[in-house]
Amino acid sequence: MSEPETNPVEQPASPATPSSTPPAAKPATTPPPAAKPVPVKEIPPFEKSIADKVEAEFSGKVKVEFVKENRIRIKTSKEDVVQVAKFLRDEMHYDHAESVSGVDYPAEKEIEVVYHLGSYTDPQLANQVLALATRAPREENPNPGFDSTRLPSLRDVFYSVEFHERECFEMLGVFFEGHPDNRRLLLPEDWADLPPLRKDFRNKGR
Amino acid sequence: MGTATGIIKALNSGIKHLAVKRFTLRYPEQKLKLVGDGYQFDPSTGVGIAGYKGRHMLFHDHCTGCQLCSIACEGVAEAIAMVKVQEDWKQNKKAIMPQIDYGKCVFCGLCVDACPFYALYMTNDYELSSFTKEGLIYTPAQLQVKPNIAQDVELKFDNPRGATHG
Amino acid sequence: MLKDLLTPQNANVFVGKLGDVLVKAVDQPLGYAINWSRLWSLWPVHIETACCSVEFGAASGPRYDVERFGIIEAFGSLRQCDLVVVQGTITRKMAPRLRLVYDQMPEPKYVIAMGACAITGGLYFDSYNVLPGIDGILPVDVYVPGCPPRPETLIQGCMLLQEKIKRLKAR
Amino acid sequence: MSSTSLPPGLQIEKVDERIMTLNVGPQHPGSGHMRIIVKIDGDYIVSADPDPGYVHRGEEKMAEYRNYILNIPHLERPVIHDSCNVLYPYCLGAEELLGLEVPERAKYLRVIASELNRCVYIQYWLAIYGIFLGHSTMFMWPAGDRELLIDMLEKMTGARVTHSYFVPGGIRNDVPANFEDMLLKRVNYFEKRIKEYAAVFAGKLSREDAIRLGTTGSTLRASGVNFDLRVKEPYDAYGELDVNVPVLKEGDSYARSKIPWLDMLESCNIIRQAVQKMPKSGSVRVKLKPNPKGGNDEVYKRVESGRGSLGCYIVSRNTPEPYRLKLSVGSFRNLICLPYLLKGEKLGNMPAVYWSLNYWPVEADR
């Protein structure tokens, strides 16, 4: 989240009430809007309980950014990410990572890495996805692997992030400390440019 | 014992397929019948009409030279270029019309969705192979021609001897 | 008569002329025969470069069956192949490999560019890792447009290639 | 560290004289558009290192320059024979960001299109499995029967494989007349045909490892984990349909190749139900403004595709284009099993194990 929000837990989704909804959101077809009023979305209790448990364990260290239906997003600093991940695996039964995606924020000089965690073993959590976000500092002239853009690897916690982190390293230049195999995966062998998913890498003609 | 039954099963399956009719579509002689006259779009309702997405067809008497198709294609494949034509139409003051490079076109039909004047449709023509890249560029005059292809063969599968074409 | 013409001094010339006549009489039919046998036995390399391989697979399947035109299913080793069907996008990582495959094939060899990506880059005109068409690395004989082309269009392209081989010099 | 050493496969390593390094692919009948670097000791594989990226086309970067409608054609290219399913999470995500409500008929037509696409995908996958195993009939039968449904999809969407059919807010066009009859007849015939398929492999993956490696789709369900997003997190009209997901316990590559086949039978069931419950007429698409903007929000949507769970993560920052788009694809998640499964196998088993992972290289590279 780019702007600091006042109390993000109380405001689960952006179109909360019809008054605050932008005009693009209103149904443009013939059935009158009265047929299906937009329900005021309340915070789902089960998701809230999970978020509360994590917050109670790491008070002050983690920030719950939103709680939506089936989706929770937790942000933490790079020092605490391994601990939070271990807690999520052992106590909360999230057992695998679905994806690791890096997002570049050049204005804030940071690169965010989001782990989407899911669970196969706990049937209650089957439709839940928890996004664990952490941020690494970003340098203007990257030298992947040798600059300060570093994060601790979660490979020992979630085995399944191995290839995802390799991809994240070559696409954004985030070096994962403790990862056994930080080699190139998808890009050609002679790639010497910026990491392509950074915002200052422009596609030709754009 | 297992081996014997296995061989018998395999033979049975093979013999059954001796009686099955040939599935092959003998292409240059037979051509598959496609739905309708090609993909079209109705801008008043905002919903398309089912049809095959083949080569485009341009109606010169509807085209206003508004470049919306070209703008839509810019984000997809940059296949449409607007070129000058030697024709005088009341609605087309600038006398520009789309020219489509089929070396780039991906047949998504988003240009048809973008046209608000019922001028650009798609047709059933898919035989576009060429020896040169230049042969793939279709000028407005070429796009005006309605393809005349004898497409009459349909897939039949309700007879007991398997699916055929005919 | 012939004895007068054929003197020891001009025997070489005479034989040479006779050879010319013979070559003219035999070469054209022979060349035609060689081309004829080539065009009905095209062996494509089994190299899948991108997603158009789906429609290439469909073309060698039972419904479209390119074996009717002598194009064998892509099974063999590339040392016995004479046709490269570039099935779609060529990325920067794939391009040297494609050229390597092409260089290893024996002459004569033909190239079909299948799909918009292989012809001009198509949808990926602004991507950082895709070549804008394969013209830069291979000499293309036939362009088959579409994304991906229908198997019918591919068969039409193969028939065009056969037309071309018929008119090429055999040696 | 990649910047100091040579890329994989080009390194000069000191290895035991008994051990030989083999490059399988990218031009090899036993590999797709990828390379597997295997080290073998006699006939046994010591280690396998997958080297994908031969079809890496930068789809995620390209998506940052296109608006929500123009993203459709290129986002379905990763798996062109499963194109409806690969577009599905993107459309769900964009609908949430743009605040669109999908008409009821469009929801059912989406379910039908994606189930037809799943069958088409699995048939092609089985056909290529046949080529890998050197079995001609196994190629010919699925490749032929696949055409029955391709023909149906062509009538419905207007293209053989790249349909560009789903858009945020519905589908592009309504189906042609008497579509339901045609579809039911064809699905019944297709089901009769695939019941005739009855076809033995290696590479064992236990339940715990399948969970630990984070696998998905048929690889996961063949190891005894009952997880299918069509049941666990129903999207669109799947909530109203009765879906019975096949699960096997063996965890070998025979089980992994049997699950998709059972899936096809289930798809036929789902299509029949959907045709029954579908509203017979009605709108299929919401009108969109020309350049719709998403809010300052992010979504993660996932669906069950032919290769397992397929997630789409969209970050939006008040622009018509997505700020960042990430596809979390089943193939890439299953790739991690390959070095694990191949260790200690015979080299001859490699194609069978590799393709049983339900892996499609173009999707993994994006």
Side-chain angles (χ1 to χ4, degrees), chain D residues 151-333:
Chain D
D151 202 66
M152 195 69 243
L153 277 165
E154 187 181 279
K155 285 190 167 62
M156 193 173 171
T157 67
R160 272 174 60 89
V161 281
T162 47
H163 312 300
S164 304
Y165 192 50
F166 293 12
V167 282
I171 47 175
R172 287 274 289 280
N173 56 269
D174 210 336
V175 290
N178 65 29
F179 166 78
E180 283 94 341
D181 303 344
M182 270 195 295
L183 180 66
L184 284 179
K185 264 164 101 179
R186 222 163 273 234
V187 167
N188 291 339
Y189 179 75
F190 179 73
E191 197 181 37
K192 200 180 94 196
R193 280 288 301 167
I194 56 178
K195 278 183 180 161
E196 285 180 27
Y197 296 11
V200 181
F201 316 112
K204 183 131 175 115
L205 190 68
S206 69
R207 186 177 194 273
E208 288 69 37
D209 286 329
I211 291 170
R212 189 170 64 98
L213 294 166
T215 58
T216 175
S218 57
T219 314
L220 180 70
R221 278 186 272 138
S223 294
V225 185
N226 187 355
F227 188 86
D228 191 302
L229 287 168
R230 286 174 289 174
V231 181
K232 300 288 181 188
E233 190 186 333
Y235 44 94
D236 271 8
Y238 279 108
E240 287 129 56
L241 304 174
D242 187 18
V243 184
N244 296 313
V245 185
V247 181
L248 294 178
K249 289 199 180 62
E250 288 85 355
D252 54 2
S253 60
Y254 177 56
R256 282 199 290 278
S257 51
K258 204 173 168 186
I259 287 269
W261 177 65
L262 293 170
D263 256 357
M264 283 196 289
L265 293 172
E266 186 54 39
S267 293
C268 296
N269 272 333
I270 296 173
I271 292 168
R272 260 183 241 124
Q273 291 177 38
V275 169
Q276 267 183 9
K277 293 193 180 173
M278 183 171 73
K280 294 298 167 236
S281 61
S283 124
V284 293
R285 186 176 178 181
V286 184
K287 258 198 173 177
L288 267 181
K289 290 203 301 179
N291 234 1
K293 282 185 184 172
N296 192 353
D297 202 357
E298 59 171 63
V299 288
Y300 182 78
K301 286 279 176 190
R302 43 184 197 166
V303 303
E304 186 76 21
S305 72
R307 298 152 309 287
S309 145
L310 204 159
C312 183
Y313 176 56
I314 312 175
V315 182
S316 159
R317 290 282 177 268
N318 294 323
T319 47
E321 301 90 17
Y323 185 77
R324 169 84 165 91
L325 190 144
K326 158 99 184 174
L327 287 173
S328 159
V329 291
S331 307
F332 193 69
R333 290 172 59 189

Side-chain angles (χ1 to χ4, degrees), chain D residues 42-61:
Chain D
D43 204 11
Y44 290 90
I45 296 173
V46 178
S47 77
D49 182 17
D51 175 25
Y54 288 92
V55 214
H56 173 65
R57 301 185 282 202
E59 313 252 5
E60 292 171 3
K61 187 74 183 174

